[in-house]
Amino acid sequence: MSDFNMDQLFDLVMFYGIKILMALAIYIIGKWIVGLAAKAMTSAMNKRDIDSTVAKFVGSIVYYIMFAFVIIAALSQLGIQTASVVAILGAAGLAVGFALQGTLSNFAAGVMIIILRPIKVGDFVEVAGAAGIVSEVAIFATTLHTGDNKTVILANASVMGSNIVNYSTQAERRVDLVVGVGYDSNIQQVKDELKAIAESEDRILHAKGITIGVSELADSSVNLVFRTWVKSADYWDVFFHLNERVKTRFDEVGIEIPYPQMQVHSNSQAA
């Protein structure tokens, strides 16, 4: 009887021992192959100059999907019904999904940002009420650095759910100024002075033309538009310089830049 029990025990150990060893082999070798495949895909995308964030994200997704199949294969080798395991994981995933709707929304938005690339690291953007240089585009949030060196972290759902103004996608930008002068000013003289100011600025792209014209007869001033084109990198320097140059030049030649005024007329009668 004891020999029979020992034989049974030996058979059981051999049977399940082999299954366990096979499952471990599937897990170890499968994990190694999955890692190599994910790295190879990431390396191939990097060689094709695909954005590093996109490459890492796709590599991670491929790794975890393939690794899930390795786990299922290893469990199947042990005789575990993987269909029930998949069903349990699916139910757990659904419950977690409801609990993390906001997080999943940010995740989905992050995927869209990475794939569609409306913004990328280094771009100067206005988005979701903030403006700054994009320093990081992650799966759940986007980070901006503002001009006064503040860090703004925006949920990706708010980024994709708002209008995105990207100032870095074009090599050239137009500088738009509105110059107000008094009604007594000579309009042709004003135009000539603005043209001379533009022609004296080397950073302006003169081949794209200069626009100077009366845009509005306002309450206290005649307003002219003064539009020039510059390289995007020179935008703010030229913007500030032109504003200063207009003021100093108009003071030199006696062109009035008026400020809002109100005239009050009073009719008084003797009692």
Side-chain angles (χ1 to χ4, degrees):
M1 184 70 177
S2 60
D3 291 340
F4 176 75
N5 289 337
M6 289 299 295
D7 290 340
Q8 283 186 323
L9 180 61
F10 179 76
D11 291 340
L12 288 173
V13 170
M14 289 297 294
F15 179 76
Y16 286 106
I18 291 173
K19 283 185 172 292
I20 292 172
L21 289 175
M22 290 295 294
L24 286 174
I26 290 173
Y27 175 81
I28 295 172
I29 296 174
K31 185 178 180 182
W32 177 68
I33 293 174
V34 166
L36 288 179
K39 288 181 180 178
M41 178 169 289
T42 303
S43 178
M45 288 188 289
N46 286 331
K47 288 180 180 178
R48 295 190 177 188
D49 295 327
I50 295 175
D51 188 271
S52 59
T53 305
V54 177
K56 290 179 182 178
F57 174 73
V58 173
S60 298
I61 293 296
V62 170
Y63 176 84
Y64 287 114
I65 291 175
M66 295 177 67
F67 187 61
F69 283 107
V70 171
I71 295 295
I72 293 173
L75 292 176
S76 178
Q77 183 64 37
L78 293 174
I80 298 174
Q81 294 295 324
T82 55
S84 59
V85 174
V86 172
I88 292 172
L89 291 175
L94 184 62
V96 172
F98 279 115
L100 301 175
Q101 289 185 33
T103 302
L104 292 177
S105 176
N106 289 326
F107 175 82
V111 173
M112 296 302 294
I113 292 173
I114 291 172
I115 294 175
L116 299 178
R117 300 181 69 186
I119 61 176
K120 63 182 185 296
V121 173
D123 287 351
F124 182 80
V125 300
E126 286 183 14
V127 59
I133 297 174
V134 180
S135 60
E136 182 182 9
V137 178
I139 294 300
F140 296 103
T142 296
T143 303
L144 306 182
H145 280 162
T146 64
D148 55 352
N149 205 29
K150 291 185 292 187
T151 298
V152 180
I153 300 175
L154 302 171
N156 283 335
S158 65
V159 173
M160 289 301 292
S162 64
N163 293 330
I164 300 173
V165 181
N166 192 330
Y167 293 99
S168 301
T169 56
Q170 304 298 323
E172 299 168 353
R173 286 183 63 186
R174 192 178 71 187
V175 179
D176 290 358
L177 301 182
V178 176
V179 179
V181 298
Y183 271 89
D184 294 334
S185 300
N186 185 310
I187 297 300
Q188 188 57 52
Q189 181 190 11
V190 174
K191 288 183 176 182
D192 291 341
E193 292 297 338
L194 292 177
K195 183 178 180 181
I197 291 171
E199 290 176 346
S200 66
E201 175 53 63
D202 294 335
R203 290 169 293 185
I204 288 176
L205 303 176
H206 298 282
K208 294 186 70 70
I210 301 167
T211 300
I212 301 171
V214 176
S215 63
E216 182 184 14
L217 302 177
D219 293 337
S220 302
S221 64
V222 178
N223 294 334
L224 293 88
V225 292
F226 181 28
R227 297 171 178 169
T228 61
W229 287 87
V230 298
K231 293 180 179 178
S232 295
D234 295 330
Y235 178 85
W236 287 111
D237 288 340
V238 175
F239 178 85
F240 294 135
H241 177 75
L242 288 182
N243 273 293
E244 180 180 344
R245 191 72 187 95
V246 167
K247 176 64 170 68
T248 56
R249 181 57 184 168
F250 280 16
D251 287 345
E252 291 172 2
V253 298
I255 297 176
E256 178 191 8
I257 300 178
Y259 50 85
Q261 301 180 34
M262 178 182 295
Q263 292 183 350
V264 178
H265 299 276
S266 176
N267 293 325
S268 59
Q269 296 180 352

